[in-house]
Amino acid sequence: MRFFRIVLLVALLFSGAAIQAQDITEFEEPPPMPGQLIDVGGYRLHITCMGEGSPTVILEPGFARFSFNMRALQEALTAETRVCAYDHAGFDWSDPAPADTPRTTQQLSDELFALLSGTEMDEAYILIAQSLGGFITRLFAAQHADLVAGVILLDATPPEFLLSGITAGQDQGLEALLRSTLAIAQANAWTPQNLFPVLSLTSDIAPDLRRGFIALAVNPIYIETALAEWGSRLANAQSVIDAGELGDVPLHVLVAGERLALASDADSAWVRGQAAQAALSTRSELAFVVGGGHEYYIDRTDAVLGTLRNLLMGR
């Protein structure tokens, strides 16, 4: 789970001078909402769509990511069909969920179902998920196979990997970092020096969109929601396993190629988990994306686009 290692290392690697180059006073005004809000049961989720064609692609970002983070990939994939990105409750422009609503994978999947049901789209969807977003996509596809025309997993987290405890120390460190960041946000005590957890989430965002992302990410509701989602990760992993296989839903599992070269115990376990994910469908394909790390969708959008084309062509 290289992304989580990166988040923790940012605290050590960011120099004070580098952070001070950011003027946080410029992050105070969130940008205008690009999409629309759909009621999912008393609260609304934000969804934004681009392009034309069918089936529609639904992008599911990784942990703590917004629709902002998927913008470049979304624009690239519109060469083939209509592509939509959305935000979890409490993220970006989406309303926060009621306080008594758990932020479990099952709840997030149910909210996605309500979101799609509330749009004018009436079709099967292609679901593309990155990292921990794979949990939601797998559960949704298992429970609503009739609504899924295909699934593409972008170095998505294998639930068995998370349950193995191989990165338990790092996972706990991330939770501690989120808690300290939440305290800063609740006190509105942001400074250039303590903004690094938010800045670390902008690596996959175009420079002209980063200030808008940060303006939304310094909201304590966002950090509290991210912490709640992360806190239920182990139960979520088990619920995804319990959901079972995907039958004959077309499934493409794209793994970051750098994991073969790294060959650490964690990377080896990750690759084994990807093979297990590919075995979930009778119509699956496992491939490695050369020249890309965990967030290869930033620089290797061509690999994702090629996979989408193959899926649309029935290959």
Side-chain angles (χ1 to χ4, degrees):
M1 296 174 65
R2 185 168 177 265
F3 162 69
F4 299 131
R5 296 202 296 273
I6 289 173
V7 170
L8 296 175
L9 288 172
V10 165
L12 301 175
L13 298 180
F14 260 116
S15 69
I19 298 175
Q20 287 170 4
Q22 302 286 340
D23 181 359
I24 63 172
T25 61
E26 296 182 37
F27 305 151
E28 294 176 357
E29 290 299 324
M33 182 180 71
Q36 60 178 319
L37 295 172
I38 302 294
D39 186 275
V40 294
Y43 51 106
R44 304 165 302 170
L45 298 189
H46 169 252
I47 184 170
T48 179
C49 300
M50 302 177 181
E52 299 179 354
S54 180
T56 295
V57 169
I58 304 296
L59 298 178
E60 183 68 57
F63 172 69
R65 286 335 209 224
F66 295 174
S67 55
F68 256 123
N69 298 85
M70 308 301 285
R71 181 70 61 84
L73 179 61
Q74 183 179 14
E75 292 175 346
L77 298 184
T78 57
E80 293 299 317
T81 190
R82 189 184 192 202
V83 185
C84 300
Y86 79 105
D87 296 297
H88 294 180
F91 287 9
D92 260 13
W93 298 273
S94 292
D95 295 336
D100 60 349
T101 304
R103 306 317 299 153
T104 61
T105 295
Q106 183 63 65
Q107 179 64 32
L108 295 173
S109 176
D110 291 345
E111 289 174 356
L112 176 58
F113 177 79
L115 172 67
L116 298 179
S117 298
T119 68
E120 297 179 356
M121 297 180 284
D122 183 18
E123 58 181 334
Y125 303 90
I126 292 176
L127 308 179
I128 300 181
Q130 195 265 340
S131 194
L132 206 57
F135 279 17
I136 302 167
T137 291
R138 275 184 53 175
L139 191 63
F140 186 96
Q143 296 177 344
H144 306 285
D146 58 318
L147 295 178
V148 180
V151 172
I152 302 176
L153 298 179
L154 310 179
D155 211 43
T157 306
E160 297 86 355
F161 178 90
L162 206 57
L163 290 172
S164 72
I166 197 167
T167 58
Q170 296 166 5
D171 297 349
Q172 292 167 3
L174 175 58
E175 185 164 345
L177 179 62
L178 287 169
R179 291 189 183 281
S180 63
T181 304
L182 176 60
I184 293 168
Q186 290 172 331
N188 194 24
W190 294 107
T191 69
Q193 289 76 17
N194 65 28
L195 195 64
F196 65 83
V198 175
L199 293 176
S200 71
L201 297 172
T202 65
S203 60
D204 53 356
I205 299 178
D208 62 322
L209 297 176
R210 286 175 185 164
R211 296 188 186 281
F213 173 93
I214 295 170
L216 293 160
V218 295
N219 185 339
I221 292 175
Y222 155 64
I223 301 169
E224 185 175 15
T225 303
L227 183 59
E229 290 189 11
W230 182 243
S232 61
R233 64 192 180 279
L234 298 182
N236 291 340
Q238 189 60 55
S239 69
V240 173
I241 293 173
D242 293 344
E245 300 182 350
L246 303 183
D248 62 353
V249 172
L251 171 64
H252 290 256
V253 178
L254 302 184
V255 189
E258 72 164 21
R259 297 190 184 280
L260 293 175
L262 294 174
S264 68
D265 289 344
D267 287 297
S268 296
W270 185 275
V271 172
R272 290 194 299 272
Q274 299 298 337
Q277 294 199 111
L280 291 170
S281 171
T282 59
R283 300 170 61 191
S284 68
E285 180 176 325
L286 175 68
F288 289 86
V289 178
V290 178
H294 185 53
E295 297 173 349
Y296 62 74
Y297 63 92
I298 303 171
D299 298 319
R300 292 298 316 274
T301 56
D302 61 306
V304 186
L305 181 59
T307 301
L308 176 60
R309 285 174 175 157
N310 288 338
L311 199 158
L312 291 172
M313 295 172 63
R315 301 207 304 257

